[in-house]
């Protein structure tokens, strides 16, 4: 192997190809040089959502700015399940947690939705997007989902893409259990919609059901908090019609089969 296993993994926006140096910004340089205390020549993994994962070597252009020279492409870019998470935003700390976990669970797009009972009037997109990047780096994803600006429910429905099936997490008992609904949706463009802490207001569920491509899904007999419901719904989707059906993480498939000699 031309380059050793990486000590850090970073999302970059620049294109990645062999030998084409990637200059890092102040924050990422600080993270590698001061926080991780990596030295010249240290191995760092890069991904940009287009060119797969590259391992490269760190070179310091001075105490404050670092650059990476990509050496070897370790993974080609792969298609990931196309699952949007549409959610009524919840309070500060929990929305950060929700975004991080949704990224780990493979959501391809995060869409905050203002419903009648949504208690949060605005979301800090920069902070949420930074959470998404960090979660993608940590979970070894090859892409980072966008956290889109919040829209009102009416707008979301008016502009809904016809080819995408909307799955409403319906706590009122009107939904099918995941095992009965999801297996027939393999390969489809999907979205999960989670209501606010106070649930969907009367008429909202009917309004949403007015869409041509919509299904209602139950998440069992208990009332889940909105963040729990979002993660439970995404987990069911990945398990029954997403990429959890493919077994071990593809990038570690060869390692996981290794006999550890015990
Ligand atoms: N309406 C609930 C109540 O009166 O306690 C609260 C809503 S719940 C906290 C927030 C959202 O999570 C719901 O709108 C729904 O989308 C989802 N959810 C919670 N429990 C669920 C369940 N058992 N089945 C389906 N969705 C659920």
């Amino acid at each position: 192997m031309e380059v050793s296993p990486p000590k850090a993994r970073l999302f970059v926006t620049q294109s990645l190809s062999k030998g084409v140096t990637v200059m890092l910004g102040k924050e990422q340089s600080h993270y590698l040089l001061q926080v991780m205390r990596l030295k010249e020549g240290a191995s760092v993994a890069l991904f940009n959502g287009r060119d797969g994962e590259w391992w490269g070597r760190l070179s310091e252009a001075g105490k404050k700015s670092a650059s990476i020279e990509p050496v070897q492409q370790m993974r080609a870019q792969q298609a990931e399940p196309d699952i949007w998470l549409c959610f009524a935003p919840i309070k500060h700390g929990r929305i950060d947690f929700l975004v991080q976990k949704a990224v780990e669970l493979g959501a391809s797009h995060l869409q905050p939705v203002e419903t009648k009972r949504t208690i949060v009037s605005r979301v800090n997109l920069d902070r949420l997007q930074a959470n998404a990047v960090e979660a993608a780096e940590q979970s070894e994803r090859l892409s980072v989902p966008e956290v889109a600006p919040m829209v009102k429910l009416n707008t979301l429905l008016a502009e809904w893409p016809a080819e995408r099936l909307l799955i409403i997490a319906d706590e009122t008992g009107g939904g099918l259990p995941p095992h009965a609904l999801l297996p027939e949706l393999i390969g489809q463009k999907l979205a999960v919609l989670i209501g606010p802490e106070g649930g969907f207001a009367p008429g909202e569920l009917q309004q949403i059901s007015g869409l041509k491509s919509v299904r209602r899904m139950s998440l069992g007999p208990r009332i889940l908090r909105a963040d729990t419901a979002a993660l439970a719904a995404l987990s069911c989707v990945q398990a029954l019609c997403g990429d959890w059906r493919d077994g071990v993480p593809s990038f570690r498939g060869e390692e996981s089969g290794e006999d550890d000699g015990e």
Side-chain angles (χ1 to χ4, degrees):
M1 188 179 291
E2 293 173 66
V3 58
S4 56
K7 299 269 186 292
R9 187 168 189 271
L10 295 178
F11 173 71
V12 294
T13 52
Q14 301 93 321
S15 295
L16 296 170
S17 55
K18 187 172 177 64
V20 179
T21 299
V22 173
M23 294 307 293
L24 298 180
K26 221 164 81 195
E27 263 180 49
Q28 289 183 324
S29 299
H30 172 78
Y31 170 68
L32 293 184
L33 300 175
Q34 272 80 42
V35 177
M36 298 293 290
R37 298 184 180 285
L38 297 186
K39 300 290 174 241
E40 185 100 7
S43 173
V44 176
L46 299 178
F47 69 104
N48 61 9
R50 305 184 302 280
D51 301 325
E53 170 155 322
W54 284 77
W55 289 3
R57 288 198 191 89
L58 172 65
S59 51
E60 278 186 60
K63 273 279 156 263
K64 294 243 184 291
S65 62
S67 62
I68 308 286
E69 186 197 335
V71 173
Q72 193 176 352
Q73 187 190 45
M74 300 308 286
R75 282 193 280 158
Q77 193 65 30
Q78 285 144 6
E80 296 172 314
D82 189 352
I83 306 167
W84 290 5
L85 174 64
C86 304
F87 61 101
I90 47 181
K91 290 202 189 87
H92 189 300
R94 290 176 41 221
I95 194 169
D96 293 70
F97 174 85
L98 169 59
V99 165
Q100 283 170 9
K101 302 310 152 195
V103 172
E104 291 170 47
L105 289 169
S108 58
H109 182 77
L110 300 171
Q111 176 61 67
V113 181
E114 184 181 347
T115 67
K116 286 198 184 87
R117 293 180 181 160
T118 300
I119 47 174
V120 170
S121 54
R122 58 180 295 282
V123 290
N124 180 328
L125 285 179
D126 290 345
R127 195 185 77 240
L128 295 183
Q129 195 64 56
N131 280 321
V133 168
E134 200 179 313
E137 289 172 339
Q138 172 273 326
S139 57
E140 307 214 357
R141 277 188 66 157
L142 288 175
S143 66
V144 178
E146 180 203 6
V147 183
M150 180 147 76
V151 292
K152 288 192 181 309
L153 179 63
N154 293 344
T155 310
L156 181 84
L157 299 178
E159 296 170 3
W160 192 258
E163 77 281 359
R164 189 172 297 275
L165 182 72
L166 177 61
I167 300 168
I168 316 170
D170 174 0
E171 80 276 17
T172 64
L176 282 177
H179 73 277
L181 172 67
L182 297 173
E184 64 174 56
L185 306 180
I186 290 173
Q188 288 200 39
K189 288 177 181 287
L190 300 175
V192 171
L193 173 60
I194 307 290
E197 285 306 322
F200 290 109
E204 281 184 332
L205 277 175
Q206 285 66 25
Q207 183 191 5
I208 302 164
S209 304
L211 275 183
K212 272 201 284 307
S213 48
V214 67
R215 296 280 194 289
R216 292 184 179 197
M217 178 167 75
S218 163
L219 292 170
R222 288 168 294 280
I223 290 293
L224 309 177
R225 293 190 71 157
D227 38 356
T228 313
L231 306 182
L234 281 175
S235 301
C236 291
V237 169
Q238 289 292 25
L240 295 170
C241 61
D243 63 8
W244 285 8
R245 293 173 304 116
D246 306 332
V248 295
S250 52
F251 57 92
R252 292 190 192 262
E254 66 286 350
E255 286 171 30
S256 64
E258 271 172 4
D259 170 12
D260 55 11
E262 277 180 16

